[in-house]
Amino acid sequence: MKTKNCDLCKVEESILFRLQIDKGKTWLFVCKSCCEKSQKLENYKYGGTWKGSRH
Ligand SMILES: [Zn+2]
């Protein structure tokens, strides 16, 4: 199983959420808790889920 580190808190996860928190900026991959925190931000944009495991 592949893992990535959250771009915000650096925790290693096998499922990350792709999102933008600044308009027009690059996409971030963040963990579930950072995703939930980021939902309050004005420019939050959800772009899908990244999974390290393939079925
Ligand atoms: Zn995080």
Side-chain angles (χ1 to χ4, degrees):
M1 188 187 289
K2 287 183 191 172
T3 58
K4 274 184 191 290
N5 290 87
C6 170
D7 283 330
L8 297 176
C9 71
K10 309 302 178 192
V11 73
E12 195 177 352
E13 293 283 355
S14 58
I15 298 174
L16 290 156
F17 301 90
R18 189 169 173 252
L19 52 93
Q20 267 183 348
I21 53 172
D22 285 308
K23 206 174 182 184
K25 298 279 175 67
T26 51
W27 291 93
L28 301 175
F29 288 97
V30 306
C31 68
K32 191 167 189 281
S33 66
C34 290
C35 183
E36 286 168 358
K37 285 178 210 159
S38 300
Q39 286 173 2
K40 297 175 195 133
L41 300 171
E42 193 185 340
N43 291 314
Y44 167 84
K45 190 177 171 190
Y46 177 73
T49 307
W50 181 90
K51 291 191 180 83
S53 61
R54 285 178 181 226
H55 298 283

Short mmCIF file of all heavy atoms in Angstrom, two decimals:
data_model
loop_
_atom_site.label_atom_id
_atom_site.label_comp_id
_atom_site.label_asym_id
_atom_site.label_seq_id
_atom_site.Cartn_x
_atom_site.Cartn_y
_atom_site.Cartn_z
N MET A 1 0.84 -1.21 0.00
CA MET A 1 0.00 0.00 0.00
C MET A 1 0.88 1.26 0.00
O MET A 1 1.84 1.34 0.74
CB MET A 1 -0.91 -0.01 1.24
CG MET A 1 -1.95 1.09 1.21
SD MET A 1 -2.88 1.20 2.76
CE MET A 1 -3.88 -0.29 2.69
N LYS A 2 0.50 2.16 -0.86
CA LYS A 2 1.25 3.43 -0.91
C LYS A 2 0.70 4.42 0.12
O LYS A 2 -0.49 4.38 0.44
CB LYS A 2 1.10 4.07 -2.28
CG LYS A 2 1.87 3.39 -3.37
CD LYS A 2 1.69 4.17 -4.65
CE LYS A 2 2.20 3.42 -5.85
NZ LYS A 2 1.85 4.11 -7.09
N THR A 3 1.55 5.29 0.57
CA THR A 3 1.10 6.36 1.47
C THR A 3 1.65 7.70 0.97
O THR A 3 2.62 7.74 0.22
CB THR A 3 1.56 6.14 2.92
OG1 THR A 3 2.97 6.06 2.95
CG2 THR A 3 0.96 4.88 3.52
N LYS A 4 1.01 8.76 1.42
CA LYS A 4 1.48 10.12 1.17
C LYS A 4 1.44 10.86 2.49
O LYS A 4 0.70 10.49 3.39
CB LYS A 4 0.53 10.87 0.22
CG LYS A 4 0.77 10.68 -1.26
CD LYS A 4 -0.22 11.58 -1.98
CE LYS A 4 -0.32 11.35 -3.47
NZ LYS A 4 0.86 11.76 -4.22
N ASN A 5 2.20 11.94 2.55
CA ASN A 5 2.14 12.79 3.73
C ASN A 5 1.21 13.97 3.48
O ASN A 5 1.24 14.59 2.42
CB ASN A 5 3.54 13.31 4.08
CG ASN A 5 4.42 12.20 4.60
OD1 ASN A 5 5.06 11.49 3.83
ND2 ASN A 5 4.43 12.01 5.89
N CYS A 6 0.40 14.26 4.47
CA CYS A 6 -0.49 15.42 4.41
C CYS A 6 0.33 16.68 4.18
O CYS A 6 1.35 16.89 4.86
CB CYS A 6 -1.27 15.49 5.72
SG CYS A 6 -2.19 17.02 5.91
N ASP A 7 -0.09 17.51 3.24
CA ASP A 7 0.65 18.75 2.93
C ASP A 7 0.55 19.78 4.05
O ASP A 7 1.32 20.74 4.07
CB ASP A 7 0.13 19.36 1.63
CG ASP A 7 0.65 18.60 0.41
OD1 ASP A 7 1.76 18.04 0.49
OD2 ASP A 7 -0.04 18.59 -0.62
N LEU A 8 -0.39 19.63 4.96
CA LEU A 8 -0.55 20.62 6.03
C LEU A 8 0.08 20.16 7.35
O LEU A 8 0.90 20.85 7.91
CB LEU A 8 -2.03 20.97 6.21
CG LEU A 8 -2.69 21.64 5.00
CD1 LEU A 8 -4.17 21.86 5.25
CD2 LEU A 8 -2.03 22.98 4.70
N CYS A 9 -0.31 18.96 7.84
CA CYS A 9 0.21 18.52 9.14
C CYS A 9 1.28 17.43 9.03
O CYS A 9 1.85 17.02 10.03
CB CYS A 9 -0.94 18.08 10.04
SG CYS A 9 -1.69 16.52 9.53
N LYS A 10 1.56 16.95 7.79
CA LYS A 10 2.63 15.99 7.50
C LYS A 10 2.39 14.58 8.02
O LYS A 10 3.30 13.76 7.99
CB LYS A 10 4.01 16.50 8.00
CG LYS A 10 4.37 17.91 7.57
CD LYS A 10 4.39 18.07 6.07
CE LYS A 10 4.72 19.51 5.68
NZ LYS A 10 4.47 19.77 4.26
N VAL A 11 1.21 14.28 8.49
CA VAL A 11 0.91 12.93 8.92
C VAL A 11 0.85 12.00 7.70
O VAL A 11 0.47 12.42 6.61
CB VAL A 11 -0.42 12.89 9.74
CG1 VAL A 11 -1.65 13.06 8.86
CG2 VAL A 11 -0.54 11.58 10.52
N GLU A 12 1.30 10.75 7.87
CA GLU A 12 1.33 9.80 6.76
C GLU A 12 0.00 9.04 6.71
O GLU A 12 -0.43 8.46 7.70
CB GLU A 12 2.50 8.84 6.96
CG GLU A 12 2.84 8.06 5.71
CD GLU A 12 4.06 7.16 5.91
OE1 GLU A 12 4.72 7.27 6.95
OE2 GLU A 12 4.32 6.34 5.01
N GLU A 13 -0.62 9.07 5.52
CA GLU A 13 -1.94 8.43 5.37
C GLU A 13 -2.01 7.66 4.05
O GLU A 13 -1.31 7.99 3.10
CB GLU A 13 -3.04 9.50 5.34
CG GLU A 13 -3.24 10.25 6.63
CD GLU A 13 -4.00 9.47 7.69
OE1 GLU A 13 -4.47 8.36 7.39
OE2 GLU A 13 -4.12 9.99 8.81
N SER A 14 -2.90 6.67 4.00
CA SER A 14 -3.12 5.95 2.74
C SER A 14 -4.33 6.50 1.98
O SER A 14 -4.56 6.14 0.83
CB SER A 14 -3.29 4.45 2.98
OG SER A 14 -4.37 4.23 3.85
N ILE A 15 -5.12 7.35 2.65
CA ILE A 15 -6.23 8.05 1.98
C ILE A 15 -6.10 9.55 2.26
O ILE A 15 -6.01 9.96 3.40
CB ILE A 15 -7.61 7.55 2.47
CG1 ILE A 15 -7.77 6.06 2.13
CG2 ILE A 15 -8.75 8.35 1.82
CD1 ILE A 15 -9.05 5.44 2.69
N LEU A 16 -6.04 10.31 1.19
CA LEU A 16 -5.92 11.77 1.34
C LEU A 16 -6.97 12.45 0.47
O LEU A 16 -7.46 11.86 -0.49
CB LEU A 16 -4.52 12.23 0.92
CG LEU A 16 -3.40 11.82 1.87
CD1 LEU A 16 -2.08 11.77 1.13
CD2 LEU A 16 -3.30 12.78 3.03
N PHE A 17 -7.26 13.67 0.80
CA PHE A 17 -8.28 14.43 0.08
C PHE A 17 -7.59 15.55 -0.68
O PHE A 17 -6.76 16.27 -0.13
CB PHE A 17 -9.33 14.97 1.05
CG PHE A 17 -9.99 13.85 1.80
CD1 PHE A 17 -9.49 13.40 3.00
CD2 PHE A 17 -11.10 13.21 1.25
CE1 PHE A 17 -10.07 12.33 3.67
CE2 PHE A 17 -11.68 12.14 1.91
CZ PHE A 17 -11.17 11.70 3.12
N ARG A 18 -7.95 15.67 -1.94
CA ARG A 18 -7.35 16.65 -2.83
C ARG A 18 -8.16 17.93 -2.71
O ARG A 18 -9.38 17.91 -2.94
CB ARG A 18 -7.39 16.09 -4.24
CG ARG A 18 -6.63 16.85 -5.28
CD ARG A 18 -6.58 15.99 -6.53
NE ARG A 18 -6.02 16.73 -7.63
CZ ARG A 18 -6.72 17.19 -8.67
NH1 ARG A 18 -8.02 16.96 -8.73
NH2 ARG A 18 -6.14 17.86 -9.62
N LEU A 19 -7.52 19.01 -2.35
CA LEU A 19 -8.27 20.26 -2.26
C LEU A 19 -7.40 21.50 -2.48
O LEU A 19 -6.18 21.45 -2.39
CB LEU A 19 -9.03 20.36 -0.93
CG LEU A 19 -8.29 20.15 0.37
CD1 LEU A 19 -7.80 21.46 0.94
CD2 LEU A 19 -9.21 19.50 1.38
N GLN A 20 -8.09 22.58 -2.81
CA GLN A 20 -7.48 23.90 -2.96
C GLN A 20 -7.98 24.76 -1.83
O GLN A 20 -9.16 24.76 -1.52
CB GLN A 20 -7.94 24.54 -4.27
CG GLN A 20 -7.04 24.30 -5.43
CD GLN A 20 -7.52 25.02 -6.69
OE1 GLN A 20 -8.63 25.52 -6.77
NE2 GLN A 20 -6.68 25.07 -7.68
N ILE A 21 -7.08 25.49 -1.20
CA ILE A 21 -7.53 26.41 -0.17
C ILE A 21 -7.21 27.87 -0.53
O ILE A 21 -7.62 28.77 0.16
CB ILE A 21 -6.95 26.06 1.23
CG1 ILE A 21 -5.44 25.92 1.20
CG2 ILE A 21 -7.58 24.77 1.74
CD1 ILE A 21 -4.82 25.77 2.58
N ASP A 22 -6.47 28.07 -1.62
CA ASP A 22 -6.25 29.41 -2.15
C ASP A 22 -6.69 29.40 -3.61
O ASP A 22 -6.30 28.53 -4.37
CB ASP A 22 -4.78 29.80 -2.08
CG ASP A 22 -4.35 30.14 -0.68
OD1 ASP A 22 -5.03 30.97 -0.04
OD2 ASP A 22 -3.35 29.58 -0.22
N LYS A 23 -7.49 30.37 -3.99
CA LYS A 23 -8.01 30.42 -5.35
C LYS A 23 -6.87 30.47 -6.39
O LYS A 23 -5.98 31.30 -6.27
CB LYS A 23 -8.91 31.65 -5.50
CG LYS A 23 -9.95 31.47 -6.57
CD LYS A 23 -10.90 32.66 -6.58
CE LYS A 23 -11.98 32.45 -7.63
NZ LYS A 23 -12.84 33.61 -7.73
N GLY A 24 -6.93 29.54 -7.35
CA GLY A 24 -5.94 29.51 -8.42
C GLY A 24 -4.59 28.94 -8.05
O GLY A 24 -3.68 28.87 -8.86
N LYS A 25 -4.44 28.50 -6.80
CA LYS A 25 -3.16 27.92 -6.37
C LYS A 25 -3.16 26.42 -6.63
O LYS A 25 -4.15 25.84 -7.03
CB LYS A 25 -2.91 28.23 -4.88
CG LYS A 25 -2.80 29.71 -4.57
CD LYS A 25 -1.39 30.21 -4.88
CE LYS A 25 -1.29 31.72 -4.70
NZ LYS A 25 -1.44 32.13 -3.31
N THR A 26 -2.01 25.81 -6.35
CA THR A 26 -1.88 24.38 -6.61
C THR A 26 -2.74 23.54 -5.66
O THR A 26 -3.12 24.00 -4.58
CB THR A 26 -0.41 23.94 -6.46
OG1 THR A 26 0.07 24.40 -5.21
CG2 THR A 26 0.44 24.49 -7.57
N TRP A 27 -3.01 22.33 -6.09
CA TRP A 27 -3.78 21.39 -5.29
C TRP A 27 -2.93 20.84 -4.17
O TRP A 27 -1.75 20.55 -4.36
CB TRP A 27 -4.29 20.25 -6.16
CG TRP A 27 -5.33 20.69 -7.15
CD1 TRP A 27 -5.10 21.09 -8.44
CD2 TRP A 27 -6.73 20.81 -6.92
NE1 TRP A 27 -6.30 21.44 -9.01
CE2 TRP A 27 -7.31 21.27 -8.12
CE3 TRP A 27 -7.56 20.55 -5.82
CZ2 TRP A 27 -8.68 21.49 -8.25
CZ3 TRP A 27 -8.92 20.76 -5.95
CH2 TRP A 27 -9.47 21.22 -7.16
N LEU A 28 -3.56 20.63 -3.02
CA LEU A 28 -2.91 20.01 -1.88
C LEU A 28 -3.52 18.63 -1.64
O LEU A 28 -4.68 18.40 -1.97
CB LEU A 28 -3.12 20.85 -0.62
CG LEU A 28 -2.61 22.29 -0.61
CD1 LEU A 28 -3.04 22.96 0.69
CD2 LEU A 28 -1.11 22.34 -0.76
N PHE A 29 -2.73 17.74 -1.05
CA PHE A 29 -3.26 16.48 -0.58
C PHE A 29 -3.22 16.50 0.94
O PHE A 29 -2.16 16.65 1.53
CB PHE A 29 -2.43 15.31 -1.12
CG PHE A 29 -2.63 15.08 -2.60
CD1 PHE A 29 -1.74 15.61 -3.52
CD2 PHE A 29 -3.73 14.38 -3.05
CE1 PHE A 29 -1.94 15.41 -4.88
CE2 PHE A 29 -3.93 14.18 -4.42
CZ PHE A 29 -3.03 14.70 -5.33
N VAL A 30 -4.37 16.42 1.55
CA VAL A 30 -4.44 16.55 3.00
C VAL A 30 -5.20 15.39 3.64
O VAL A 30 -6.02 14.74 3.00
CB VAL A 30 -5.06 17.90 3.43
CG1 VAL A 30 -4.34 19.07 2.80
CG2 VAL A 30 -6.55 17.96 3.11
N CYS A 31 -4.93 15.17 4.93
CA CYS A 31 -5.62 14.11 5.68
C CYS A 31 -7.05 14.53 6.00
O CYS A 31 -7.44 15.69 5.80
CB CYS A 31 -4.85 13.79 6.96
SG CYS A 31 -4.87 15.13 8.16
N LYS A 32 -7.82 13.58 6.55
CA LYS A 32 -9.22 13.82 6.83
C LYS A 32 -9.44 15.01 7.78
O LYS A 32 -10.29 15.85 7.55
CB LYS A 32 -9.84 12.56 7.43
CG LYS A 32 -11.34 12.59 7.52
CD LYS A 32 -11.87 11.18 7.82
CE LYS A 32 -13.37 11.12 7.69
NZ LYS A 32 -14.04 11.68 8.88
N SER A 33 -8.64 15.09 8.85
CA SER A 33 -8.87 16.17 9.82
C SER A 33 -8.53 17.54 9.24
O SER A 33 -9.23 18.51 9.48
CB SER A 33 -8.13 15.91 11.13
OG SER A 33 -6.75 15.95 10.95
N CYS A 34 -7.46 17.62 8.42
CA CYS A 34 -7.13 18.90 7.77
C CYS A 34 -8.19 19.27 6.74
O CYS A 34 -8.51 20.44 6.56
CB CYS A 34 -5.76 18.83 7.11
SG CYS A 34 -4.42 18.78 8.30
N CYS A 35 -8.74 18.26 6.06
CA CYS A 35 -9.81 18.50 5.10
C CYS A 35 -11.01 19.11 5.79
O CYS A 35 -11.58 20.10 5.31
CB CYS A 35 -10.19 17.18 4.43
SG CYS A 35 -11.44 17.35 3.17
N GLU A 36 -11.37 18.56 6.94
CA GLU A 36 -12.52 19.08 7.69
C GLU A 36 -12.30 20.51 8.17
O GLU A 36 -13.18 21.35 8.10
CB GLU A 36 -12.86 18.15 8.85
CG GLU A 36 -13.53 16.88 8.35
CD GLU A 36 -13.63 15.78 9.41
OE1 GLU A 36 -13.14 15.98 10.54
OE2 GLU A 36 -14.19 14.72 9.07
N LYS A 37 -11.08 20.79 8.62
CA LYS A 37 -10.74 22.16 9.06
C LYS A 37 -10.79 23.13 7.89
O LYS A 37 -11.23 24.27 8.03
CB LYS A 37 -9.33 22.19 9.67
CG LYS A 37 -9.26 21.61 11.06
CD LYS A 37 -7.80 21.66 11.52
CE LYS A 37 -7.50 20.51 12.49
NZ LYS A 37 -6.06 20.22 12.56
N SER A 38 -10.31 22.67 6.71
CA SER A 38 -10.22 23.55 5.55
C SER A 38 -11.57 23.89 4.94
O SER A 38 -11.69 24.86 4.20
CB SER A 38 -9.33 22.89 4.48
OG SER A 38 -8.05 22.68 5.00
N GLN A 39 -12.59 23.09 5.27
CA GLN A 39 -13.93 23.34 4.71
C GLN A 39 -14.50 24.69 5.12
O GLN A 39 -15.39 25.22 4.46
CB GLN A 39 -14.89 22.22 5.13
CG GLN A 39 -14.63 20.93 4.37
CD GLN A 39 -15.46 19.76 4.87
OE1 GLN A 39 -16.26 19.90 5.77
NE2 GLN A 39 -15.25 18.60 4.29
N LYS A 40 -13.99 25.26 6.19
CA LYS A 40 -14.45 26.57 6.66
C LYS A 40 -13.86 27.73 5.85
O LYS A 40 -14.36 28.85 5.91
CB LYS A 40 -14.05 26.78 8.13
CG LYS A 40 -14.71 25.78 9.07
CD LYS A 40 -14.16 25.98 10.48
CE LYS A 40 -14.51 24.80 11.38
NZ LYS A 40 -13.36 24.34 12.15
N LEU A 41 -12.79 27.44 5.11
CA LEU A 41 -12.11 28.50 4.38
C LEU A 41 -12.91 28.96 3.16
O LEU A 41 -13.58 28.16 2.50
CB LEU A 41 -10.72 28.04 3.93
CG LEU A 41 -9.77 27.65 5.06
CD1 LEU A 41 -8.51 27.00 4.51
CD2 LEU A 41 -9.40 28.86 5.92
N GLU A 42 -12.80 30.23 2.85
CA GLU A 42 -13.58 30.85 1.78
C GLU A 42 -13.32 30.22 0.41
O GLU A 42 -14.23 30.01 -0.37
CB GLU A 42 -13.26 32.34 1.74
CG GLU A 42 -14.20 33.15 0.89
CD GLU A 42 -13.77 34.61 0.79
OE1 GLU A 42 -12.98 35.06 1.66
OE2 GLU A 42 -14.20 35.27 -0.15
N ASN A 43 -12.04 29.91 0.13
CA ASN A 43 -11.67 29.40 -1.19
C ASN A 43 -11.51 27.89 -1.24
O ASN A 43 -10.91 27.35 -2.15
CB ASN A 43 -10.40 30.09 -1.67
CG ASN A 43 -10.63 31.55 -1.98
OD1 ASN A 43 -11.60 31.92 -2.62
ND2 ASN A 43 -9.77 32.41 -1.47
N TYR A 44 -12.07 27.20 -0.26
CA TYR A 44 -12.02 25.74 -0.23
C TYR A 44 -12.67 25.15 -1.48
O TYR A 44 -13.76 25.52 -1.87
CB TYR A 44 -12.75 25.24 1.01
CG TYR A 44 -13.06 23.76 1.00
CD1 TYR A 44 -12.10 22.84 1.42
CD2 TYR A 44 -14.29 23.29 0.58
CE1 TYR A 44 -12.38 21.48 1.41
CE2 TYR A 44 -14.58 21.93 0.58
CZ TYR A 44 -13.61 21.03 0.98
OH TYR A 44 -13.89 19.70 0.97
N LYS A 45 -11.95 24.22 -2.10
CA LYS A 45 -12.49 23.52 -3.27
C LYS A 45 -12.04 22.07 -3.21
O LYS A 45 -10.84 21.79 -3.12
CB LYS A 45 -11.97 24.20 -4.55
CG LYS A 45 -12.65 23.71 -5.80
CD LYS A 45 -12.11 24.49 -7.00
CE LYS A 45 -12.60 23.89 -8.30
NZ LYS A 45 -11.90 24.50 -9.44
N TYR A 46 -12.99 21.16 -3.26
CA TYR A 46 -12.71 19.74 -3.17
C TYR A 46 -12.46 19.14 -4.54
O TYR A 46 -13.20 19.44 -5.49
CB TYR A 46 -13.90 19.06 -2.48
CG TYR A 46 -13.78 17.56 -2.38
CD1 TYR A 46 -12.89 16.99 -1.47
CD2 TYR A 46 -14.55 16.73 -3.16
CE1 TYR A 46 -12.78 15.61 -1.37
CE2 TYR A 46 -14.45 15.35 -3.06
CZ TYR A 46 -13.55 14.80 -2.16
OH TYR A 46 -13.46 13.44 -2.06
N GLY A 47 -11.41 18.34 -4.66
CA GLY A 47 -11.06 17.80 -5.98
C GLY A 47 -10.95 16.29 -6.05
O GLY A 47 -10.33 15.76 -6.95
N GLY A 48 -11.51 15.58 -5.08
CA GLY A 48 -11.48 14.13 -5.14
C GLY A 48 -10.68 13.51 -4.01
O GLY A 48 -10.09 14.20 -3.19
N THR A 49 -10.62 12.19 -4.03
CA THR A 49 -9.94 11.44 -2.99
C THR A 49 -8.77 10.67 -3.60
O THR A 49 -8.89 10.13 -4.70
CB THR A 49 -10.93 10.45 -2.33
OG1 THR A 49 -12.07 11.17 -1.91
CG2 THR A 49 -10.31 9.77 -1.13
N TRP A 50 -7.64 10.63 -2.89
CA TRP A 50 -6.49 9.84 -3.32
C TRP A 50 -6.37 8.63 -2.43
O TRP A 50 -6.37 8.76 -1.20
CB TRP A 50 -5.22 10.70 -3.23
CG TRP A 50 -3.99 9.95 -3.68
CD1 TRP A 50 -3.48 9.89 -4.94
CD2 TRP A 50 -3.11 9.15 -2.86
NE1 TRP A 50 -2.36 9.09 -4.95
CE2 TRP A 50 -2.12 8.64 -3.70
CE3 TRP A 50 -3.08 8.83 -1.50
CZ2 TRP A 50 -1.09 7.81 -3.22
CZ3 TRP A 50 -2.07 8.00 -1.01
CH2 TRP A 50 -1.08 7.50 -1.88
N LYS A 51 -6.31 7.45 -3.05
CA LYS A 51 -6.15 6.22 -2.27
C LYS A 51 -4.86 5.50 -2.66
O LYS A 51 -4.60 5.29 -3.84
CB LYS A 51 -7.34 5.29 -2.50
CG LYS A 51 -8.63 5.79 -1.90
CD LYS A 51 -9.68 4.69 -1.93
CE LYS A 51 -10.99 5.15 -1.34
NZ LYS A 51 -11.81 5.89 -2.30
N GLY A 52 -4.09 5.13 -1.66
CA GLY A 52 -2.83 4.42 -1.91
C GLY A 52 -3.03 2.96 -2.27
O GLY A 52 -2.18 2.36 -2.91
N SER A 53 -4.16 2.40 -1.87
CA SER A 53 -4.43 0.99 -2.18
C SER A 53 -5.32 0.89 -3.40
O SER A 53 -6.21 1.71 -3.60
CB SER A 53 -5.08 0.31 -0.99
OG SER A 53 -6.31 0.92 -0.69
N ARG A 54 -5.08 -0.11 -4.21
CA ARG A 54 -5.91 -0.33 -5.39
C ARG A 54 -6.63 -1.66 -5.25
O ARG A 54 -6.04 -2.65 -4.86
CB ARG A 54 -5.06 -0.34 -6.66
CG ARG A 54 -4.62 1.04 -7.03
CD ARG A 54 -3.75 1.01 -8.26
NE ARG A 54 -3.34 2.40 -8.57
CZ ARG A 54 -3.38 2.91 -9.79
NH1 ARG A 54 -3.77 2.19 -10.80
NH2 ARG A 54 -2.98 4.14 -9.99
N HIS A 55 -7.89 -1.68 -5.61
CA HIS A 55 -8.67 -2.91 -5.50
C HIS A 55 -9.06 -3.41 -6.89
O HIS A 55 -9.22 -2.63 -7.78
CB HIS A 55 -9.94 -2.65 -4.68
CG HIS A 55 -9.61 -2.24 -3.27
ND1 HIS A 55 -9.21 -3.12 -2.30
CD2 HIS A 55 -9.58 -1.02 -2.70
CE1 HIS A 55 -8.98 -2.45 -1.18
NE2 HIS A 55 -9.19 -1.19 -1.40
ZN ZN B 1 -3.28 16.81 7.93
#
